[in-house]
């Protein structure tokens, strides 16, 4: 009998992947963690019944979450990643020679440990000297942070249900702004523009309460509901559609999905979404 793993989206739609072999099913203090070897996407990570990442499609998500902001921000010396326990986001951030310091704050240490074991193919440079890895609540970290400001903040959170709901609140974006340098930029994953459009619209509206420039953009992620995903980049005045050639030159030769043309095209939005966002 094939074993199916199913993501139920608010009891309106279900998306499924068939497993060759279950690997782990664990309950951490924060969430249910499942890892399984799928037929088509290699090892897949699920949290609380929602697909997070897979060996075969992770590059679509991580390259598009990270590179538009990292190639366009004025400075990328100090970077903060909230969430991202599988390590794909910090791997992409650490590709840039200009990056001097990365803080990663992930709430669930068990996610990190299990991903190190079962998603070793992500090749995350966990021992890079520039990385300051913290296990803790990203919302509290942001509110309590008193140290040097960050040039870039990246929110690689789970879907905004339960504890992750705080990651899309107006107060969270205000806290991000306080931790950013005046020319800094924030980028967040902002859900499916098709089946979670209400969430995307709410995220953009909440970000606009803290930042004058808010730019959503799109890309494919095959294992996420609807296959189409959004990200939103916010700043005081950055035009994120213009990547810096010297940064692109560090990334394009090895990227699987991201390049300059994809970067620029990603900011083109469907007409109905443009109207909805106002
Ligand atoms: N529906 C999935 C949203 C997941 C966003 N985070 C994924 C973590 C990958 N690093």
């Amino acid at each position: 009998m094939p074993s199916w793993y199913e993501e139920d989206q608010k009891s309106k739609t279900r998306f499924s992947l068939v497993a060759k072999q279950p690997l782990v099913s664990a309950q951490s203090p924060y969430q249910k963690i499942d890892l399984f070897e799928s037929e088509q996407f290699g090892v897949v990570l699920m949290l609380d019944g929602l697909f997070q990442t897979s060996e075969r499609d992770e590059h679509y998500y991580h390259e598009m979450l990270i590179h538009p902001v990292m190639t366009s921000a004025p400075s990328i010396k100090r970077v903060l990643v909230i969430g991202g326990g599988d390590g794909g986001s910090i791997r992409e951030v650490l590709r840039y020679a200009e990056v001097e310091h990365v803080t990663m704050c992930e709430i669930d240490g068990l996610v990190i440990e299990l991903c190190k074991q079962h998603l070793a193919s992500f090749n995350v440079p966990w021992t890079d000297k520039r990385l300051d890895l913290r296990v803790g609540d990203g919302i509290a970290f942001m509110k309590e942070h008193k140290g040097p400001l960050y040039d870039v903040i990246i929110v690689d959170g789970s879907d905004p249900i339960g504890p992750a709901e705080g990651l899309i609140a107006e107060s969270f974006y205000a806290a991000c702004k306080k931790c950013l340098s005046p020319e800094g930029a924030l980028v967040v994953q902002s859900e499916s523009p098709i089946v979670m459009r209400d969430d995307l619209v709410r995220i953009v509206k909440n970000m606009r309460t803290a930042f004058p420039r808010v730019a959503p953009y799109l890309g494919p992620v095959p294992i996420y509901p609807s296959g189409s995903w959004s990200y939103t980049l916010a700043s005081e005045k950055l035009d994120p559609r213009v990547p810096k050639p010297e940064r692109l030159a560090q990334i394009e030769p090895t990227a699987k999905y991201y390049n300059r043309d994809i970067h620029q095209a990603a900011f083109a939005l469907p007409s109905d979404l443009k109207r909805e966002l106002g």
Side-chain angles (χ1 to χ4, degrees):
M1 269 292 273
S3 162
W4 287 88
Y5 284 76
E6 190 167 68
E7 168 164 339
D8 179 328
Q9 262 305 323
K10 300 177 183 171
S11 302
K12 292 181 187 159
T13 320
R14 289 180 182 174
F15 299 86
S16 311
L17 294 175
V18 71
K20 274 190 198 161
Q21 198 194 351
L23 297 172
V24 177
S25 189
Q27 180 68 47
S28 79
Y30 303 99
Q31 56 207 337
K32 181 160 188 286
I33 306 169
D34 285 292
L35 283 138
F36 62 95
E37 170 87 37
S38 67
E39 284 289 347
Q40 203 166 12
F41 289 97
V43 175
V44 177
L45 169 70
M46 266 186 127
L47 297 178
D48 279 341
L50 304 171
F51 296 122
Q52 299 298 315
T53 196
S54 82
E55 289 183 303
R56 305 258 163 78
D57 83 339
E58 58 100 2
H59 57 283
Y60 292 100
Y61 175 87
H62 292 120
E63 291 184 10
M64 287 306 281
L65 176 64
I66 304 304
H67 298 312
V69 71
M70 291 296 284
T71 54
S72 61
S75 170
I76 55 171
K77 285 189 178 146
R78 287 184 53 81
V79 179
L80 170 64
V81 177
I82 298 291
D86 53 77
S89 289
I90 55 165
R91 179 197 62 211
E92 295 305 315
V93 168
L94 289 165
R95 288 192 197 285
Y96 294 86
E98 276 166 88
V99 170
E100 292 175 358
H101 175 93
V102 183
T103 307
M104 170 176 153
C105 186
E106 159 64 50
I107 196 165
D108 198 337
L110 189 57
V111 170
I112 299 175
E113 287 318 309
L114 291 173
C115 289
K116 282 184 181 173
Q117 285 171 40
H118 296 283
L119 290 172
S121 66
F122 276 29
N123 290 318
V124 179
W126 291 108
T127 55
D128 192 302
K129 294 209 167 28
R130 296 170 292 170
L131 177 64
D132 170 19
L133 177 59
R134 294 165 186 234
V135 175
D137 178 359
I139 299 175
F141 175 88
M142 197 71 84
K143 290 194 172 139
E144 288 155 16
H145 182 71
K146 299 262 182 319
L149 299 173
Y150 289 97
D151 299 309
V152 174
I153 298 177
I154 294 156
V155 183
D156 182 7
S158 196
D159 302 270
I161 301 165
E165 180 125 30
L167 292 175
I168 69 164
E170 288 181 13
S171 58
F172 176 71
Y173 298 131
C176 289
K177 187 170 181 181
K178 278 207 248 149
C179 295
L180 270 178
S181 62
E183 298 206 310
L186 164 71
V187 69
V188 305
Q189 74 83 8
S190 46
E191 305 293 292
S192 163
I194 298 170
V195 294
M196 301 157 181
R197 184 169 290 195
D198 291 353
D199 289 325
L200 165 58
V201 171
R202 190 150 58 106
I203 290 168
V204 170
K205 292 195 168 152
N206 287 354
M207 288 176 97
R208 282 179 179 155
T209 63
F211 294 94
R213 276 203 82 134
V214 176
Y217 61 95
L218 307 177
V221 184
I223 68 159
Y224 287 175
S226 83
S228 176
W229 209 248
S230 77
Y231 312 83
T232 303
L233 208 157
S235 65
E236 276 298 308
K237 55 173 188 243
L238 175 69
D239 181 352
R241 292 166 303 177
V242 190
K244 296 186 189 311
E246 66 280 12
R247 303 240 186 95
L248 279 175
Q250 294 175 59
I251 298 305
E252 277 191 329
T254 50
K256 288 195 201 162
Y257 181 72
Y258 175 83
N259 58 42
R260 188 172 62 96
D261 296 342
I262 293 273
H263 179 131
Q264 285 171 343
F267 288 91
L269 300 180
S271 304
D272 60 347
L273 178 58
K274 277 185 17 189
R275 280 193 293 273
E276 237 175 290
L277 293 174

